[in-house]
Amino acid sequence: MGERSDHPQGPGAAEDSEAQEIEATVVLGIRITDWPALRAAARAAVEELDFAGIDPAGQREALLREVSEDPNAALGALLHPDRLVAAIPGIEALGGTLEISVTDDFAPDFAELFPLDLDGEDGGAVGDWTLTPRTACLLHTQLITLADAAYDDLEEHEGDPITDEEEQDWAVLARLPRRTWGMHRSWRRSVARSFDDLADDLGLGEWPLPRCLAEEVALRLALADARELLGSQPQAVADMMGDLPVDLYDYDWDGCADELFGVYGPDDADPELDAVERTDQLLAATHPEGWFLTYEDAEERDPGRGYRR
């Protein structure tokens, strides 16, 4: 005879016993590959929710706005424990929490995204100038770093004006022209997103060609910081590169300025001006509110792409 078991067996066991309470922990690694699709799904999920209390319509509108701007909020709406449990028959939710954090482990494969012409004797590029894997990697790192710092400025100072006395308390926004020091919070948030937009271009294997004046300023800062980091911490940069292939055009910042700026822009720009002079002229002639107007010959970025923070 087998040992006696206190746990009922068979298809009718659940009806004959008290329901078990189980705590389940699920850890997911997720990479967002289609933000518009994720945003649409999150908005649809919010539309299905029932809101109670004061101003249900206002609550719904606020959450719709949040999931439309923030990928983390969109994931939160779709991965909420109540929503996940509702899709499983035979159970009910007793409560739960959802925690979402951004991982730093993922990095684009720049060797694959920016392949080199390997016909040269030493594997170096031949022919026309190219954006190399190592240059793209360092530039991407600086753009992400600047975006993080700009968002930090925003969270710490909100819409406070920048002053000479407190200039050192700002990580990035005080480096912009003085005429921008009194700009409002939403403008500053768009500046932070400009760094991310260019970084996203690199993450997709595309050259970070500025499509508006704000992106020209963002790229200028990133190139300056990349040049400075390479000069002050060459070993740190070498460690960052890992096994990315070496090329003759690595860290050619003058080449970056020549090739990345001026692809898009006003048709009446003086062709005799170099990249720095051209951007300075545009900055002098353009009010900060106009920094985000897409150049006529450039493709407009998705207006619903949201913000990282």
Side-chain angles (χ1 to χ4, degrees):
M1 295 178 63
E3 295 183 0
R4 178 179 179 275
S5 173
D6 292 329
H7 297 286
Q9 305 294 325
E15 287 83 350
D16 298 332
S17 67
E18 294 183 1
Q20 290 182 309
E21 294 185 5
I22 300 173
E23 180 177 309
T25 301
V26 178
V27 179
L28 297 174
I30 296 174
R31 178 181 302 167
I32 298 175
T33 59
D34 189 340
W35 164 233
L38 174 63
R39 181 178 61 237
R43 288 182 62 87
V46 172
E47 292 289 2
E48 297 174 357
L49 295 177
D50 293 326
F51 292 86
I54 301 175
D55 191 14
Q59 295 180 52
R60 185 186 306 277
E61 185 61 32
L63 187 54
L64 283 171
R65 184 167 56 251
E66 187 175 353
V67 302
S68 296
E69 295 182 353
D70 185 358
N72 287 344
L75 280 172
L78 293 168
L79 297 177
H80 191 278
D82 289 345
R83 178 180 175 83
L84 294 179
V85 168
I88 305 174
I91 63 174
E92 65 175 342
L94 300 178
T97 60
L98 173 66
E99 296 182 5
I100 296 178
S101 60
V102 179
T103 178
D104 295 326
D105 294 340
F106 170 72
D109 184 347
F110 292 106
E112 180 178 344
L113 293 170
F114 297 93
L116 297 172
D117 184 343
L118 300 180
D119 292 335
E121 292 183 2
D122 298 321
V126 295
D128 295 336
W129 184 91
T130 188
L131 186 62
T132 70
R134 288 182 172 236
T135 304
C137 178
L138 183 53
L139 191 53
H140 180 271
T141 300
Q142 296 310 302
L143 286 164
I144 293 296
T145 300
L146 284 164
D148 286 337
Y151 281 119
D152 289 344
D153 276 347
L154 188 61
E155 291 179 1
E156 182 175 354
H157 301 285
E158 295 287 338
D160 296 340
I162 303 171
T163 63
D164 290 329
E165 295 75 18
E166 299 179 349
E167 179 182 353
Q168 70 280 358
D169 296 333
W170 297 72
V172 173
L173 296 179
R175 297 173 63 185
L176 303 180
R178 284 177 174 269
R179 66 187 303 195
T180 70
W181 283 14
M183 295 303 292
H184 49 84
R185 184 182 185 279
S186 61
W187 185 91
R188 291 170 171 175
R189 197 178 186 207
S190 294
V191 168
R193 184 172 63 179
S194 295
F195 295 107
D196 274 338
D197 285 339
L198 293 171
D200 288 345
D201 289 342
L202 286 165
L204 294 173
E206 301 173 358
W207 286 12
L209 304 176
R211 307 186 194 185
C212 63
L213 186 52
E215 292 183 14
E216 293 209 30
V217 175
L219 184 58
R220 174 192 281 194
L221 291 177
L223 287 170
D225 287 2
R227 185 193 294 266
E228 180 179 352
L229 182 64
L230 182 63
S232 62
Q233 302 182 47
Q235 187 56 53
V237 173
D239 294 341
M240 183 192 308
M241 295 302 113
D243 58 357
L244 287 177
V246 177
D247 188 82
L248 295 175
Y249 282 121
D250 284 343
Y251 316 129
D252 179 9
W253 308 124
D254 292 335
C256 286
D258 291 340
E259 300 295 334
L260 301 180
F261 291 101
V263 176
Y264 304 123
D267 294 333
D268 57 355
D270 187 345
E272 298 299 322
L273 297 178
D274 62 23
V276 173
E277 294 170 334
R278 175 183 172 279
T279 301
D280 286 342
Q281 187 180 76
L282 286 172
L283 288 172
T286 307
H287 188 277
E289 292 287 4
W291 280 23
F292 307 102
L293 296 176
T294 305
Y295 294 138
E296 291 185 2
D297 52 349
E299 181 181 357
E300 183 179 4
R301 296 193 186 275
D302 179 10
R305 63 194 181 281
Y307 300 84
R308 179 149 57 90
R309 290 197 217 166

